[in-house]
């Protein structure tokens, strides 16, 4: 067990599977008390049971991150359980590959809500709780698709680019009060979200990356740990690619 | 478990400031250190402090702009420690000069020390890695000056932008062979390099207006970033530039 997040209380949205769960495991192993926020109650309970079995302190809070009511309750429940909130990892997100002309209005709204509005809502309710303690730390999951365009990813590219810029904007607004805001830009990571990607497409994506492999959820979790810990106390407003070098040649 | 346990790192410019902080931070995490600087007695003192933390550390007097000296330093590191896992290209200088008054010598001295040094040391280390059929992690000290302009600093900004571009190319070219190459981009860090400016209240006021976190950084902040980029914790990160600037770049 490490101590890099000793005494900290962290909320991780989308924390019951994939990158979110790997991050919850690492945060708990580094001494944090972790609130796993996710929609699926069965998966949430299973995640928390596994975290507790490893000796960690964790709780599950059911949460739809596109609902202000849910996110407000998430923060209230965290404060009631642990008395403070130091770290918010806005990780929940979803994707559907489509060009603009293939997205109806409801699909566009749904993708923007789960990928962008969720970040606004998390920060809207978490930052006041952090300010009570003199500061805190927000880590948002953006994506390399927020830095470069990719075919048939209209809503996802737009939402992730907005997350990166919102990250910078909030870093400016809340830095003076001790809240740091950073984001991670994952490249191709093997997770439940990418499980449906055809093998040939996965292989060609990997072949184009300098490090020639897919990322693991743990790769993102380590970046989240760095950005969430005091080791990065002079780092705010950054977008950190964790992408095997995918972006070096654009 | 220490985070760099059993590894060996070359750190250039390790006599003071960020380089010294990086050496000490790595030593705390169990890393053996091949340190170099033009100031031999000061880098020997850094090595002694590292040794006191329980690791092996050597100190060499090396001019990183001279190929022969660089090759000797890298050979010595391999000879002393058996291998090298990490290279931190930290050595660098700073001085102000108005562009219209800049001499050829000033331009060349800045480019040689801050950019050509990264070429020489990285090439020498990468050749060793390729010969040994192994990879490694390179951490290059760039700067916010790679991305934004400062007055009377054209030579410094050009050199640091060159470091950033060089680092990305190494990531692309040697990633398939297991070499990662990343940059740290410090903002205003309290070191001997910035101490004169930090004594000027007008400059400090201007800087604080530009830094959302409302403080200058410490060498320890840079060292923690170097530790992340040097360790296996960043195994899927290459070609990045990590700003450690208190948020300077957001505006």
């Amino acid at each position: 067990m490490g101590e890099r997040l000793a005494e900290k209380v962290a909320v991780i949205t989308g924390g019951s599977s994939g990158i979110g769960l790997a991050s919850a495991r690492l945060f708990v192993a580094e001494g944090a008390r972790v609130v796993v926020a996710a929609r699926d109650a069965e998966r949430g309970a299973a995640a928390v049971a596994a975290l507790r079995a490893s000796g960690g302190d964790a709780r599950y809070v059911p949460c739809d991150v596109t609902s202000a009511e849910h996110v407000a309750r998430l923060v209230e429940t965290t404060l009631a359980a642990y008395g403070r909130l130091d770290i918010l990892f806005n990780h929940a997100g979803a994707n559907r590959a489509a060009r603009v002309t293939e997205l109806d209005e409801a699909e566009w709204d749904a993708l923007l809500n789960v990928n962008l509005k969720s970040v606004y809502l998390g920060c809207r309710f978490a930052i006041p709780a952090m300010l009570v303690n003199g500061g805190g730390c927000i880590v948002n999951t953006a994506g390399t698709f927020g830095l470069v365009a990719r075919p048939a990813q209209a809503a996802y590219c737009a939402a992730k680019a907005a997350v990166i810029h919102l990250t910078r904007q909030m870093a400016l607004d809340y830095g003076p009060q001790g809240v740091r805001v950073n984001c991670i830009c994952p490249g191709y990571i093997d997770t439940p979200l990418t499980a449906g990607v055809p093998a040939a497409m996965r292989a060609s994506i990997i072949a184009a990356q300098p490090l020639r492999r897919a990322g693991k959820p743990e790769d993102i979790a380590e970046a989240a740990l760095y950005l969430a810990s005091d080791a990065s106390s002079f780092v705010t407003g950054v977008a950190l690619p964790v992408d095997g070098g995918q972006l070096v040649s654009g | 478990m220490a985070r760099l346990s059993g590894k060996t790192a070359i750190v250039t410019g390790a006599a003071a400031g960020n380089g010294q902080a990086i050496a000490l931070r790595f030593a705390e995490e169990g890393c053996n250190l091949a340190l170099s600087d033009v100031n031999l007695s000061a880098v020997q003192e850094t090595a002694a402090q590292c040794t006191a933390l329980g690791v092996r550390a050597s100190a060499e007097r090396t001019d990183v702009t001279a190929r022969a000296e660089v090759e000797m330093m890298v050979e010595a590191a391999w000879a002393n420690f058996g291998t090298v896992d990490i290279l931190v290209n930290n050595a660098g200088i700073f001085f102000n000069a108005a562009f219209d008054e800049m001499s050829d010598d000033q331009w060349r001295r800045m480019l040689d020390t801050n950019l050509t040094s990264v070429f020489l040391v990285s090439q020498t280390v990468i050749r060793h890695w390729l010969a040994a059929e192994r990879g490694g992690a390179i951490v290059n000290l760039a700067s916010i000056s790679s991305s934004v302009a400062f007055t009377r600093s054209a030579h410094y900004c050009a050199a640091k932008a060159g470091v950033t571009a060089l680092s990305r190319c190494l990531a692309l070219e040697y990633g398939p062979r297991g070499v990662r190459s990343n940059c740290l981009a410090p903002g205003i860090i309290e070191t001997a390099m910035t101490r004169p400016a930090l004594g000027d209240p007008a400059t400090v006021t201007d800087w604080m207006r530009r830094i959302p976190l409302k403080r200058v950084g410490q060498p320890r902040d840079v060292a923690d970033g170097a530790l992340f980029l040097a360790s296996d914790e960043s195994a899927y990160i290459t070609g990045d530039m990590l700003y450690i600037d208190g948020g300077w770049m957001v505006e």
Side-chain angles (χ1 to χ4, degrees):
Chain A
M1 298 284 275
E3 292 182 342
R4 293 165 66 191
L5 297 179
E7 310 297 317
K8 308 271 189 190
V9 174
V11 167
I12 303 179
T13 70
S16 67
S17 69
I19 292 168
L21 179 56
S23 302
R25 275 198 295 266
L26 185 59
F27 282 22
V28 159
E30 291 293 338
R33 292 165 284 172
V34 172
V35 174
V36 170
R39 269 179 310 185
D40 187 312
E42 206 170 306
R43 273 216 310 248
V48 163
L51 294 170
R52 287 179 176 165
S54 72
D57 188 342
R59 281 164 195 259
Y60 167 64
V61 175
C63 185
D64 171 356
V65 292
T66 67
S67 156
E69 196 184 318
H70 280 222
V71 176
R73 196 172 58 222
L74 169 64
V75 172
E76 282 165 21
T77 308
T78 301
L79 294 177
Y82 293 123
R84 58 188 292 138
L85 174 54
D86 303 287
I87 298 160
L88 169 64
F89 185 11
N90 282 310
H91 176 67
N95 190 12
R96 185 176 97 69
R99 300 185 294 177
V100 157
T101 49
E102 298 153 359
L103 280 169
D104 66 32
E105 189 181 354
E107 287 174 312
W108 170 270
D109 286 345
L111 285 167
L112 270 286
N113 284 345
V114 72
N115 289 312
L116 176 59
K117 185 182 174 187
S118 60
V119 174
Y120 150 69
L121 287 175
C123 296
R124 164 78 183 79
F125 293 106
I127 288 173
M130 291 174 174
L131 293 179
V132 171
N133 300 330
C137 190
I138 292 165
V139 181
N140 299 318
T141 298
T144 53
F145 288 19
L147 293 164
V148 292
R150 286 291 184 260
Q153 296 285 346
Y156 198 70
C157 283
K160 292 304 191 183
V163 168
I164 292 168
H165 212 50
L166 179 59
T167 296
R168 295 189 187 112
Q169 198 287 325
M170 292 190 296
L172 186 61
D173 276 346
Y174 299 103
Q177 296 166 81
V179 177
R180 296 187 298 111
V181 191
N182 292 290
C183 67
I184 298 171
C185 297
Y188 188 91
I189 314 293
D190 283 329
T191 69
L193 193 72
T194 55
V197 173
M201 186 189 286
R202 180 178 179 278
S204 80
I205 292 169
I206 289 170
Q209 292 181 2
L211 294 184
R212 303 283 195 267
R213 70 168 172 93
K216 297 174 292 196
E218 290 74 16
D219 292 318
I220 307 302
E222 290 286 2
L225 170 60
Y226 169 70
L227 292 175
S229 73
D230 294 338
S232 62
S233 62
F234 198 54
V235 178
T236 194
V238 309
L240 181 69
V242 183
D243 68 344
Q246 177 198 121
L247 289 179
V248 295
S249 45
Chain B
M1 180 72 178
R3 292 160 67 190
L4 296 177
S5 187
K7 303 213 177 203
T8 297
I10 291 174
V11 182
T12 67
N18 292 331
Q20 182 188 44
I22 290 167
L24 292 170
R25 188 71 192 88
F26 282 20
E28 287 172 5
E29 297 295 342
C31 192
N32 294 322
L33 291 151
L35 307 177
S36 67
D37 203 284
V38 284
N39 184 339
L40 181 61
S41 61
V43 74
Q44 282 172 333
E45 172 56 28
T46 304
Q49 289 175 27
C50 292
T51 305
L53 290 166
V55 299
R56 293 175 55 214
S58 64
E60 302 274 340
R61 192 210 169 276
T62 306
D63 173 354
V64 287
T65 69
R67 178 177 287 279
E69 292 193 29
V70 166
E71 288 179 347
M72 224 153 53
M73 180 269 286
V74 173
E75 288 295 342
W78 245 270
N80 284 337
F81 298 99
T83 190
V84 170
D85 305 276
I86 296 158
L87 165 61
V88 181
N89 282 309
N90 167 76
I93 55 169
F94 177 76
F95 58 88
N96 280 123
F99 184 72
D100 61 298
E101 293 167 3
M102 199 178 286
S103 68
D104 291 2
D105 177 64
Q106 285 180 313
W107 172 264
R108 287 204 188 98
R109 193 151 59 87
M110 184 63 81
L111 270 287
D112 281 353
T113 312
N114 289 3
L115 177 57
T116 304
S117 64
V118 179
F119 158 65
L120 290 173
V121 183
S122 301
Q123 187 187 58
T124 307
V125 169
I126 285 174
R127 283 174 175 170
H128 275 271
W129 282 341
L130 295 180
E133 294 186 352
R134 57 153 299 165
I138 300 176
V139 180
N140 298 305
L141 272 286
S143 163
I144 55 173
S145 306
S146 299
S147 307
V148 293
F150 289 86
T151 53
R152 299 189 301 140
S153 302
H155 51 346
Y156 185 77
C157 293
K160 289 299 187 183
V163 169
T164 301
L166 172 58
S167 179
R168 273 197 300 264
C169 290
L170 298 185
L172 179 68
E173 207 164 336
Y174 298 102
R177 318 276 276 272
V179 175
R180 297 189 299 111
S181 177
N182 291 290
C183 284
L184 288 175
I188 309 300
I189 308 294
E190 190 177 351
T191 66
M193 216 183 251
T194 55
R195 210 154 284 137
L198 285 168
D200 172 31
T203 301
V204 172
T205 302
D206 178 50
W207 284 350
M208 286 308 121
R209 192 174 53 74
R210 290 163 178 268
I211 302 173
L213 292 183
K214 303 301 172 200
R215 68 173 177 95
V216 297
Q218 295 299 318
R220 174 92 182 185
D221 296 316
V222 176
D224 276 319
L227 170 60
F228 173 62
L229 291 177
S231 76
D232 294 337
E233 293 153 19
S234 62
Y236 200 53
I237 297 180
T238 194
D240 274 16
M241 182 145 91
L242 174 60
Y243 292 98
I244 301 185
D245 64 353
W248 182 295
M249 289 298 298
V250 303
E251 269 196 282

